[in-house]
Amino acid sequence: MNQPAGRESGCQMMKRIAKELKASIRAAEGHADELSRRIAELEAQPGPEVELEITALAKAREAIEKKIAEEHASLSTLEDVIIENC
């Protein structure tokens, strides 16, 4: 069982946050993959309403990819700090 957050050391806290970031990144990558598959399915269908949906899905995927990149950068920095200090 995990210790309460108030009792964890700085290193434990950083390692926990790194683990949570990795899980968040994996989940976001899965969501981006789902959006990519859906976009590919829609691209095979003709119609103006399909184009609007494709555009909306592409924008959502772009936002998720940006979040993934930011979380990768945060994780990299955090892992460097863990290596140096823990």
Side-chain angles (χ1 to χ4, degrees):
M1 188 168 165
N2 290 338
Q3 294 181 11
R7 292 189 168 193
E8 68 184 356
S9 70
C11 286
Q12 289 171 325
M13 179 187 65
M14 288 187 289
K15 288 176 183 178
R16 177 181 51 80
I17 292 170
K19 184 178 178 180
E20 292 169 358
L21 267 173
K22 288 177 187 177
S24 176
I25 290 167
R26 279 192 302 274
E29 287 171 338
H31 192 85
D33 289 343
E34 286 178 39
L35 290 174
S36 293
R37 282 191 292 277
R38 182 66 181 138
I39 289 167
E41 290 171 5
L42 290 172
E43 287 174 337
Q45 302 173 14
E49 62 279 345
V50 174
E51 289 300 318
L52 293 173
E53 190 173 353
I54 290 170
T55 301
L57 292 173
K59 286 180 182 179
R61 183 182 59 192
E62 184 179 313
I64 291 169
E65 289 171 345
K66 181 179 177 186
K67 177 185 177 226
I68 291 168
E70 290 169 355
E71 287 188 351
H72 270 295
S74 295
L75 178 60
S76 178
T77 301
L78 183 57
E79 287 176 333
D80 288 345
V81 171
I82 291 169
I83 289 169
E84 290 175 14
N85 296 296
C86 295

